[in-house]
Amino acid sequence: MTDPHPDQGAMSDESWTIAHRALPLLDLTSLNEDEDEATTDALCARAVSPAGPVAAVCLWPRFIPQARERLAGTGVRIATVVNFPGGSLAPEKVAEQTAEALADGADEIDVVIPYHSIMHYPHSTQPDEVLAATREAAGDAVMKVILETGCLAKPVFIERAVEIAVRNGADFLKTSTGKVQVGATLGAARIMLEACRDSLKPGSPRRVGFKASGGIRDLDGARDYLALADHICGPGWVSPATFRFGASGLLDALLAALGHGGTHPPPSSAY
């Protein structure tokens, strides 16, 4: 008898494969204005999922010590944000935020580039100044530079922001804060991933990774970004050291595809 659903098994296999790849790449993120100790505990509990731990949690600086205590021994890294979300603070203030976050136990710093100044560059040197100060304060910690590509919009401005971020020591290029209308897009991701590919060339001072954040909530979105990364940077490039998804709403979709079901509603921010 002919199988009435000949592609169902293949689709299930593909979904499992995507979810299996994506879950260890997830920066489980919660940056709502009403976060408290209870929501932080819940975030940390979700980070060690039935299918394995995510790469990191990303939360407000004031919750770093709590997350560090809750996640001790799990392998989940602690990420936080500085110059967030507007990207408008002075370099010395951003450096101060970075130093305090690291002293509290953060492993990774997600810093917003002064994206409003990108279109005026080089008449405004604020992007260089802020990122240089953050890099110095961060030392050997991972520095992810949030470009807010949805606001930059034009490829020429995204390319300029990428060049400034790479030159100032970015470990990752990140699409969005998740606080503006347009988050991650495949067009912006292509520009950013091409810079990641170029950083693999001999003589490059630092290898650069990519973080897609803002609006990625399902397996189709995860698949599209993973496929683009495989195409541009090579099929062996993607790992937690080079690629992240900044999201919380994505976790339930991944767990469902892996056979664990969705046990928690996505947060209202849907970062």
Side-chain angles (χ1 to χ4, degrees):
M1 181 179 294
T2 302
D3 185 348
H5 303 291
D7 297 324
Q8 189 172 28
M11 289 174 63
S12 297
D13 288 346
E14 181 190 24
S15 296
W16 188 94
T17 299
I18 293 166
H20 183 69
R21 289 188 73 190
L23 190 141
L25 308 173
L26 188 61
D27 282 7
L28 194 63
T29 302
S30 196
L31 293 166
N32 296 317
E33 295 302 323
D34 59 351
E35 305 291 355
D36 56 21
E37 290 187 1
T39 61
T40 301
D41 276 347
L43 183 76
C44 293
R46 295 191 72 204
V48 186
S49 83
V54 301
V57 294
C58 186
L59 34 63
W60 293 112
R62 64 185 180 273
F63 299 114
I64 294 170
Q66 180 183 350
R68 172 59 62 197
E69 180 181 347
R70 300 296 187 274
L71 292 169
T74 65
V76 177
R77 296 171 65 82
I78 311 297
T80 195
V81 290
V82 301
N83 204 27
F84 187 93
S88 59
L89 297 179
E92 57 271 19
K93 180 61 177 177
V94 183
E96 180 184 330
Q97 289 182 336
T98 301
E100 289 177 354
L102 294 173
D104 284 341
D107 301 300
E108 303 178 354
I109 301 295
D110 290 26
V111 56
V112 182
I113 196 171
Y115 58 91
H116 295 293
S117 300
I118 295 296
M119 55 280 297
H120 305 298
Y121 190 85
H123 299 292
S124 171
T125 59
Q126 190 181 16
D128 277 313
E129 293 167 2
V130 166
L131 295 188
T134 308
R135 180 73 272 173
E136 182 177 3
D140 293 332
V142 170
M143 183 175 85
K144 309 192 201 89
V145 178
I146 306 172
L147 305 183
E148 203 68 289
T149 55
C151 290
L152 295 176
K154 295 182 179 180
V156 64
F157 293 141
I158 297 172
E159 290 167 359
R160 186 179 298 170
V162 164
E163 189 275 328
I164 294 168
V166 171
R167 173 158 38 84
N168 284 283
D171 293 302
F172 278 78
L173 301 170
K174 177 178 173 180
T175 54
S176 176
T177 61
K179 299 294 186 180
V180 299
Q181 186 173 2
V182 179
T185 66
L186 290 170
R190 177 175 293 276
I191 295 170
M192 298 161 75
L193 283 164
E194 286 172 350
C196 296
R197 178 198 60 201
D198 291 345
S199 77
L200 298 173
K201 296 177 180 178
S204 296
R206 182 186 298 267
R207 293 191 175 187
V208 182
F210 170 74
K211 180 173 174 178
S213 64
I216 302 165
R217 302 183 181 92
D218 56 32
L219 284 174
D220 287 342
R223 178 195 60 209
D224 290 345
Y225 284 94
L226 288 170
L228 186 63
D230 289 343
H231 174 70
I232 294 174
C233 296
W237 179 76
V238 169
S239 76
T242 57
F243 187 105
R244 302 282 181 87
F245 288 110
S248 285
L250 181 59
L251 179 59
D252 280 329
L254 301 180
L255 290 176
L258 293 168
H260 295 284
T263 57
H264 300 270
S268 59
S269 64
Y271 188 98

